[in-house]
Amino acid sequence: MTIHGPGPNDTAKNTERLKKTIRNKEAAEIAMEFADGEELAAIKKKNERREESIDGLRAEILAEAKSRINGYI
């Protein structure tokens, strides 16, 4: 049996995840024009979570950049 531990933190993936999350949020905003009721509420909730994720990813990318500048990474 093989035990899988966490892999290395690939900082390039964070940038791609950020771009993908922003694209998904923008697409959902367009979809909101055609949604109503429960679907509209669900899209709004999901976009709130996306916004939190975007803020977190931006903060993480900045922290990684600062670490690189300071020679930690």
Side-chain angles (χ1 to χ4, degrees), residues 11-28:
T11 56
K13 288 183 181 179
N14 289 335
T15 309
E16 289 303 314
R17 285 179 51 209
L18 176 61
K19 289 177 186 177
K20 182 178 178 182
T21 304
I22 291 171
R23 283 192 308 265
N24 287 342
K25 183 177 181 267
E26 291 169 350

Side-chain angles (χ1 to χ4, degrees), residues 4 6 9 14 38 47 54 58 62 72:
H4 296 283
N9 188 9
N14 289 335
E38 290 181 18
N47 268 358
I54 288 169
R58 283 184 176 148
L62 286 174
Y72 296 126

Side-chain angles (χ1 to χ4, degrees), residues 10-68:
D10 186 358
T11 56
K13 288 183 181 179
N14 289 335
T15 309
E16 289 303 314
R17 285 179 51 209
L18 176 61
K19 289 177 186 177
K20 182 178 178 182
T21 304
I22 291 171
R23 283 192 308 265
N24 287 342
K25 183 177 181 267
E26 291 169 350
E29 288 171 351
I30 293 169
M32 284 185 350
E33 296 175 19
F34 307 102
D36 59 352
E38 290 181 18
E39 185 179 11
L40 181 61
I43 293 171
K44 286 182 179 181
K45 276 187 158 185
K46 195 158 191 175
N47 268 358
E48 288 174 11
R49 291 191 302 269
R50 284 182 177 123
E51 192 60 42
E52 291 172 7
S53 179
I54 288 169
D55 291 342
L57 286 167
R58 283 184 176 148
E60 189 172 336
I61 290 168
L62 286 174
E64 290 167 352
K66 287 179 184 178
S67 291
R68 233 178 267 110

